[in-house]
Amino acid sequence: MSVSRFSVSLEAELLKALDLYVKENNFPNRSQAIRQLIERNLVEKKWQCNHTVAGAITLLYDHHKRELACKLSDIQHEFLNEILAVQHFHLSHHICLEIIAVKGQAKNLTLLADKLISLKGIRHGKLIMTQSDDLLFSTCQREISP
Ligand code: NI
């Protein structure tokens, strides 16, 4: 993709904050940090507009809670169209890490993640969303068909 240059005017305090953000997140330069901030903002907008997005749900749980594994499976079977793949890692004798790759309408992914993460016995759960296409500048009025 070709790159365009433009200059940005910022107040000294804001520039200081940007440089701190660059340093804290190990960005190679300001451009990379600004790029990431813009993309994150666009993904959030797509999320709010209920566009098709992709993401991952990570779950940490104790597999000895038998009913939990069963419930996790039941819920996942309700979302066949959203789930792309599931990876299961046995972290210790008790603890399992599951990473579920998902793609679909933002509201469905949020619903799926909420159902899984709220189950009793889940130690930690998180949904991460990203864009699923190159249509960075699509708006709420221009819905993307899946
Ligand atoms: Ni396991």
Side-chain angles (χ1 to χ4, degrees), residues 55 94 125:
H94 295 276

Side-chain angles (χ1 to χ4, degrees), residues 63 88-91 95-97:
H63 84 271
H88 186 105
F89 302 92
H90 311 301
L91 294 185
I95 303 300
C96 300
L97 169 67

Side-chain angles (χ1 to χ4, degrees), residues 59-65 68 88-98 121-124:
L59 301 169
L60 200 69
Y61 63 92
D62 185 340
H63 84 271
H64 283 116
K65 295 182 185 298
L68 176 60
H88 186 105
F89 302 92
H90 311 301
L91 294 185
S92 70
H93 189 66
H94 295 276
I95 303 300
C96 300
L97 169 67
E98 210 156 281
I122 296 288
R123 293 193 177 195
H124 185 257

Side-chain angles (χ1 to χ4, degrees), residues 2-131:
S2 69
V3 176
S4 302
R5 285 180 169 275
F6 68 102
S7 62
V8 179
S9 305
L10 287 177
E11 289 80 6
E13 283 300 302
L14 208 49
L15 184 59
K16 221 162 110 182
L18 175 64
D19 285 338
L20 188 65
Y21 181 77
V22 168
K23 199 177 163 195
E24 282 177 352
N25 293 281
N26 297 315
F27 286 111
N29 50 50
R30 290 171 178 162
S31 292
Q32 193 62 29
I34 290 171
R35 186 176 298 125
Q36 198 242 30
L37 286 169
I38 293 169
E39 283 181 358
R40 187 189 296 170
N41 184 277
L42 290 168
V43 168
E44 273 175 25
K45 195 176 167 201
K46 282 188 174 187
W47 195 348
Q48 288 161 4
C49 297
N50 202 27
H51 283 303
T52 297
V53 290
I57 302 166
T58 57
L59 301 169
L60 200 69
Y61 63 92
D62 185 340
H63 84 271
H64 283 116
K65 295 182 185 298
R66 291 285 173 199
E67 72 284 5
L68 176 60
C70 194
K71 283 178 189 164
L72 282 170
S73 178
D74 283 349
I75 293 168
Q76 291 183 41
H77 279 261
E78 291 172 28
F79 290 84
L80 294 175
N81 294 330
E82 282 75 21
I83 295 177
L84 299 171
V86 181
Q87 263 188 315
H88 186 105
F89 302 92
H90 311 301
L91 294 185
S92 70
H93 189 66
H94 295 276
I95 303 300
C96 300
L97 169 67
E98 210 156 281
I99 302 173
I100 306 166
V102 289
K103 183 184 173 187
Q105 278 189 296
K107 72 168 182 202
N108 291 339
L109 302 190
T110 307
L111 183 67
L112 168 60
D114 286 350
K115 279 191 169 193
L116 293 170
I117 292 166
S118 64
L119 284 175
K120 199 178 167 198
I122 296 288
R123 293 193 177 195
H124 185 257
K126 196 173 170 72
L127 166 65
I128 297 162
M129 294 267 217
T130 186
Q131 60 187 16

